[in-house]
Amino acid sequence: METDTLVRAMDGIELHYKAVGKESVNSSSDKDMNGTPDDTFHNAPIADKSQGSTNLFDPLEDLPPGIGQYDDFHTIDWLRDISRDRMRHRHIIKKKQEGCFEKLKGAHDAWSGWVCVLLVGCAAGVCAAIVDIGATWMSDLKEGVCSEAFWLNREHCCWAANDTTFDQDGCSQWSTWPQLFGVTSEGAGSYVLSYIMYVIWALIFAVLAAMLVRVFAPYACGSGIPEIKTILSGFIIRGYLGKWTLIIKSVGMMLSVSAGLSLGKEGPFVHIASCCGNVLSHLFPKYDKNEAKKREILSAAAAAGVSVAFGAPIGGVLFSLEEVSYYFPLKTLWRSFFCALAAAFVLRSFNPFGNDHLVMFYIEYNNPWYLIELGAFILLGVFGGIWGTIFIKANIRWCRFRKTSVLGKYPIVEVLVVTLVTAVIAYPNPYTRMNTSALIKQLVSQCRPEDETALCDYQYNTTAMDMTADVVSAPLGPDAIKAIWLLFLALIFKMIITIFTFGLKVPAGLFIPSMAIGAIAGRLIGMGVEQLAYAYRSHYIFKEMCTSGHTCVTPGLYAMVGACAALGGVTRMTVSLVVIMFELTGGLQYIVPLMAAAMTAKWVGDSLHKEGIYDAHIHLNGYPYLDCKEEFVHTTLAADVMKPRHDQPLCVVAQDSMTVSDVENVLRETDHNGFPVIVSHESPFLVGFVLRRDLIIAIGNARKMHEGIVSKSMVYFTNSIPSGGASVGPEPLKLKKILDMSPVTVTDQTPMETVIDMFRKLGLRQILVTSNGRLLGIITKKDILRHIAQLENEDPASILFN
């Protein structure tokens, strides 16, 4: 298992950190993803000062703030961070012997992880409840307002009315916009006015969402899952999980969903929960000062996001494990489950949908399914895989056009145009006008004789039928046939408009639109199979299906399976998707159809296009993400990928023959993030590795704190200085404590397949390449990604996110 590999590899690196001492464990850090990087080297004073004494000056007796931390758009070093945490933990265990107060501090350190994920789960549940309630109210605002209490949505308004009857159009206290403007007739005037108000409110909500994102939090657009995957793999994107992103994402999501765009709020819940995890981790130094440990909290937060999005705590944990997390030890699994449980409990306490469930759609039937229906379920899986591939390719092509054309300079205009087209086309069709979650609820539900919806217009023989008995199959009525045509038009419209909607500069999720497309297709196929079975109910194939007491076929089940298949085709999820679906609908007895559809969708999708939508967007944006699921089949060696090439010099730092001025010149003339330390330029044997950020901070701190450190001061990365080295000249500067003396190395003949496995399983930032102990070059994660892109005939320059 990758976790075991990582733990075993840390045993060697800890030898270096024992020499560093406890100061490196508790060193201060800059603010993480919502903060700003420390001052760069150019801001540090570099003026020459008077010569000082010849004592060896070590500015790192107390490590200055920022040592061991990371700049924006950089990759973390998992080995170093986890080793630092293990050293910190051993220090706490040792200190517990000194008294009760230290034991209390040790207990606080032990339970802080559970407290943190509890707070994250509660915060995610509260945010989800607010978003659900706000989005429902604003969606109903496009059609009318509650005259007695404007803050109530249509359903709650009609509950308060105490009317004896309630229909889909409203009740006595619910006033439509034509009624508010004095138009009481049901003619063309009322329809046109409702149409105009629907479009106006949609444009208002959309432009507000786009402006909030553009002005206050540009990172709040999209679903956020591709970026969360990249961050959890060890990449730093400061501000992406900050408090402003959390606020704007929550408000913007309510607005964009209410605008009627073909998007959902479930995917962005993962981003919102991760923002909660990042913000609350500041309260616990164990996570605030260690990027690798912080990602354990973010993995748990991602599970909480899916938990509140679908009311699926177990599915959320599996989603975090299968789809987004890069490093997932066993304790993170337990904490993720606890975090998802807390989030679901808080959301259930708010009861945002008023139906005692965490989601808007919940099936209440348990009709059996038959083996012959498995063919139709597999057909839905094939549809999901084909549709997912078409959507991914079309959406990526449109997003690439947006990035490279003038369209990308006018994001608000694009949002307005897409919203206008969506609202104008969607309003005449009731299945595109209604909220997407309400549409899925109607599609997966079972028709009963008392239902008055068009989908349930069956020609029942009511004279010979007990209205309280279970429903049986019957021929379709005229309204049901009309509803089929409207659903077909809704399917075509949603398939096209979703391609242009996902990627707009507003908060936008993809779960619900994909499920809606699959649910429509599934309902249409289900109704067709039902009528086929009813027409030939005496045939031996359908004879067992059409027994008394239930319908021959349950069309709602086909809608549920279709939703699973379409979402699986787009995201390529399998295990977590099936668990989410049966938690979402409560249909535990339908696991086999869901598994068959999800697996078929993945097989068909992978055969046509290897990437899911989130991996495709990671690739499009050039994020440095090394996918663990992909295999490297080429036969290249480390010498073919390392930088620099054989004919170019390697930028290094000598351990005891360079002055402060020499090191500063290296920092000025290069932009490398770290430098190998060698014995000397004449003898390039590897000593260790030092980070650029640590060098800048250490030299700047030494100049500020001690006047004897000048440009001509010698820099030593050793415990002692050479004989005669400190007898003349200014004070030397000792930087041994910022040196990583156990960097991971490979030989130049190591296969790249092995090198890539080391990067994936150890979470490395770089690997040094040697030959007979002599340093030859360096390989970073971006070098590997560029090499893979080049082998696949793609542009290597696209792998650069900065």
Side-chain angles (χ1 to χ4, degrees):
M1 193 173 178
E2 296 184 6
T3 305
D4 300 330
T5 307
L6 181 59
V7 171
R8 287 196 300 269
M10 288 189 297
D11 292 337
I13 199 171
E14 282 184 2
L15 297 175
H16 160 63
Y17 286 101
K18 288 180 180 179
V20 174
K22 65 182 181 181
E23 293 87 3
S24 64
V25 175
N26 296 316
S27 62
S28 302
S29 85
D30 56 351
K31 290 298 178 184
D32 61 313
M33 298 175 188
N34 191 32
T36 56
D38 281 343
D39 293 337
T40 61
F41 161 73
H42 301 288
N43 293 333
I46 312 180
D48 271 341
K49 299 179 183 176
S50 60
Q51 294 184 358
S53 64
T54 59
N55 294 329
L56 187 65
F57 175 65
D58 185 356
L60 305 180
E61 292 298 335
D62 293 311
L63 290 174
I67 292 291
Q69 301 303 310
Y70 307 97
D71 286 323
D72 201 4
F73 304 126
H74 283 63
T75 304
I76 72 171
D77 192 327
W78 290 85
L79 283 178
R80 184 177 69 167
D81 282 4
I82 296 178
S83 179
R84 285 173 57 202
D85 182 72
R86 291 175 66 175
M87 287 295 299
R88 180 198 59 80
H89 183 67
R90 289 171 180 169
H91 176 70
I92 291 175
I93 296 298
K94 184 178 179 180
K95 295 283 287 183
K96 287 172 68 174
Q97 311 299 326
E98 299 181 4
C100 294
F101 181 70
E102 294 297 335
K103 289 183 179 180
L104 185 61
K105 288 174 62 177
H108 170 71
D109 180 78
W111 72 52
S112 60
W114 294 99
V115 174
C116 186
V117 296
L118 174 64
L119 295 177
V120 172
C122 294
V126 171
C127 290
I130 294 173
V131 170
D132 286 337
I133 295 171
T136 305
W137 175 73
M138 284 191 285
S139 295
D140 289 342
L141 195 62
K142 293 185 297 184
E143 300 182 12
V145 67
C146 187
S147 55
E148 297 295 328
F150 70 91
W151 58 87
L152 295 179
N153 61 35
R154 180 169 57 186
E155 187 173 6
H156 289 100
C157 180
C158 293
W159 283 352
N162 292 323
D163 289 351
T164 56
T165 60
F166 170 71
D167 57 28
Q168 288 186 331
D169 295 328
C171 55
S172 60
Q173 289 192 8
W174 180 259
S175 302
T176 62
W177 290 112
Q179 291 173 347
L180 290 173
F181 284 102
V183 181
T184 57
S185 65
E186 297 295 330
S190 175
Y191 181 83
V192 171
L193 184 56
S194 297
Y195 200 155
I196 293 174
M197 292 303 298
Y198 181 91
V199 174
I200 289 176
W201 277 113
L203 292 174
I204 291 174
F205 291 148
V207 74
L208 281 176
M211 290 182 66
L212 286 173
V213 170
R214 182 71 182 269
V215 175
F216 294 102
Y219 282 150
C221 65
S223 72
I225 294 180
E227 289 76 12
I228 298 298
K229 290 185 66 171
T230 307
I231 290 172
L232 287 176
S233 73
F235 196 56
I236 303 289
I237 309 179
R238 301 197 186 279
Y240 199 85
L241 301 179
K243 56 182 180 297
W244 272 110
T245 305
L246 170 63
I247 296 171
I248 300 303
K249 186 90 171 189
S250 301
V251 177
M253 199 158 58
M254 291 186 282
L255 292 168
S256 58
V257 170
S258 303
L261 291 169
S262 182
L263 47 83
K265 60 182 184 296
E266 282 67 21
F269 273 138
V270 176
H271 189 185
I272 287 178
S274 298
C275 289
C276 294
N278 179 63
V279 172
L280 291 171
S281 67
H282 291 322
L283 303 176
F284 304 90
K286 179 166 79 170
Y287 299 105
D288 183 30
K289 298 177 181 179
N290 192 305
E291 293 291 345
K293 292 291 293 180
K294 181 181 295 177
R295 273 147 184 78
E296 297 177 11
I297 300 297
L298 297 181
S299 294
V306 175
S307 175
V308 297
F310 295 107
I314 302 175
V317 175
L318 293 176
F319 173 82
S320 180
L321 173 62
E322 178 184 3
E323 188 65 20
V324 298
S325 293
Y326 206 82
Y327 173 61
F328 205 84
L330 193 58
K331 62 180 177 181
T332 302
L333 176 69
W334 301 331
R335 289 174 179 170
S336 298
F337 181 74
F338 181 63
C339 187
L341 175 65
F345 176 78
V346 171
L347 183 62
R348 174 63 181 82
S349 301
F350 279 93
N351 194 19
F353 301 112
N355 59 359
D356 293 331
H357 298 298
L358 295 179
V359 291
M360 287 188 67
F361 35 96
Y362 190 89
I363 64 172
E364 296 178 346
Y365 52 83
N366 55 2
N367 296 344
W369 64 275
Y370 298 91
L371 190 61
I372 192 175
E373 295 181 88
L374 203 57
F377 298 145
I378 292 176
L379 181 63
L380 283 171
V382 173
F383 165 79
I386 295 175
W387 150 245
T389 301
I390 294 174
F391 171 78
I392 292 169
K393 290 186 175 181
N395 180 255
I396 292 299
R397 181 170 295 183
W398 176 252
C399 290
R400 184 176 288 114
F401 171 76
R402 180 191 292 121
K403 290 168 71 73
T404 57
S405 68
V406 70
L407 182 64
K409 299 179 181 179
Y410 304 98
I412 297 180
V413 174
E414 183 188 8
V415 171
L416 284 176
V417 171
V418 173
T419 304
L420 180 62
V421 172
T422 302
V424 170
I425 299 178
Y427 186 83
N429 189 335
Y431 296 114
T432 53
R433 183 196 318 167
M434 69 170 59
N435 183 278
T436 311
S437 295
L439 171 62
I440 298 175
K441 177 182 179 181
Q442 185 171 333
L443 291 173
V444 302
S445 61
Q446 182 182 26
C447 290
R448 301 194 64 83
E450 64 270 17
D451 290 335
E452 297 181 358
T453 59
L455 271 178
C456 296
D457 181 32
Y458 287 84
Q459 296 178 354
Y460 293 115
N461 185 5
T462 56
T463 59
M465 180 178 177
D466 183 6
M467 297 298 291
T468 62
D470 292 330
V471 68
V472 295
S473 294
L476 293 176
D479 288 345
I481 296 175
K482 179 182 177 182
I484 288 177
W485 283 106
L486 290 176
L487 279 177
F488 180 75
L489 294 176
L491 176 64
I492 301 300
F493 170 70
K494 283 188 173 293
M495 290 175 69
I496 295 174
I497 201 65
T498 305
I499 292 173
F500 299 95
T501 304
F502 189 69
L504 292 177
K505 298 303 180 182
V506 293
L510 194 58
F511 283 13
I512 290 297
S514 300
M515 292 176 64
I517 290 171
I520 294 174
R523 185 78 184 203
L524 292 176
I525 292 178
M527 294 176 73
V529 172
E530 181 190 28
Q531 293 304 303
L532 179 66
Y534 180 76
Y536 297 94
R537 56 187 178 277
S538 59
H539 195 277
Y540 73 94
I541 296 179
F542 303 110
K543 188 174 183 180
E544 183 183 357
M545 299 171 60
C546 295
T547 56
S548 60
H550 59 79
T551 58
C552 299
V553 171
T554 307
L557 171 60
Y558 285 74
M560 184 170 67
V561 174
C564 177
L567 185 55
V570 171
T571 63
R572 307 296 161 83
M573 295 189 300
T574 52
V575 179
S576 58
L577 174 60
V578 172
V579 175
I580 287 172
M581 287 302 299
F582 84 71
E583 284 189 281
L584 178 65
T585 59
L588 189 62
Q589 67 271 34
Y590 303 128
I591 285 185
V592 173
L594 292 173
M595 292 175 64
M599 206 66 245
T600 304
K602 179 171 175 59
W603 283 337
V604 173
D606 286 345
S607 66
L608 299 175
H609 187 72
K610 64 180 181 179
E611 292 180 322
I613 185 63
Y614 300 127
D615 291 331
H617 272 270
I618 288 174
H619 191 196
L620 174 67
N621 294 323
Y623 297 143
Y625 181 77
L626 199 56
D627 196 349
C628 294
K629 297 186 288 290
E630 293 185 2
E631 294 184 3
F632 186 80
V633 297
H634 304 281
T635 58
T636 51
L637 302 176
D640 302 324
V641 183
M642 71 177 188
K643 297 291 179 66
R645 298 299 184 184
H646 296 289
D647 57 345
Q648 298 174 340
L650 177 62
C651 186
V652 296
V653 176
Q655 68 172 352
D656 56 10
S657 60
M658 296 180 69
T659 63
V660 171
S661 178
D662 294 334
V663 176
E664 290 173 344
N665 287 335
V666 171
L667 293 170
R668 284 196 188 96
E669 295 169 1
T670 66
D671 57 357
H672 304 307
N673 295 325
F675 305 94
V677 178
I678 60 175
V679 175
S680 66
H681 292 282
E682 295 76 21
S683 180
F685 290 96
L686 182 64
V687 175
F689 191 84
V690 63
L691 295 178
R692 175 189 187 90
R693 176 189 175 90
D694 292 354
L695 268 179
I696 292 172
I697 294 175
I699 293 176
N701 184 72
R703 284 185 175 274
K704 292 177 182 178
M705 302 298 294
H706 201 280
E707 295 182 356
I709 302 300
V710 294
S711 294
K712 294 183 179 180
S713 298
M714 298 298 296
V715 176
Y716 293 106
F717 291 92
T718 57
N719 285 323
S720 59
I721 61 175
S723 58
S727 58
V728 293
E731 288 186 48
L733 175 60
K734 180 184 174 185
L735 298 179
K736 175 68 179 296
K737 285 188 177 180
I738 66 171
L739 178 65
D740 180 3
M741 297 187 65
S742 58
V744 179
T745 61
V746 296
T747 67
D748 56 338
Q749 298 301 308
T750 304
M752 277 306 298
E753 183 179 5
T754 303
V755 174
I756 291 175
D757 278 343
M758 294 174 68
F759 269 93
R760 288 171 174 166
K761 296 178 179 180
L762 301 181
L764 300 179
R765 196 179 189 186
Q766 69 279 318
I767 284 182
L768 302 179
V769 183
T770 62
S771 177
N772 298 324
R774 300 170 67 90
L775 181 66
L776 294 183
I778 185 173
I779 300 176
T780 65
K781 184 184 288 187
K782 287 184 180 179
D783 292 331
I784 291 178
L785 292 169
R786 292 190 185 102
H787 178 65
I788 294 175
Q790 193 170 14
L791 291 175
E792 296 178 353
N793 297 320
E794 299 175 359
D795 182 15
S798 64
I799 310 299
L800 182 63
F801 179 62
N802 197 334

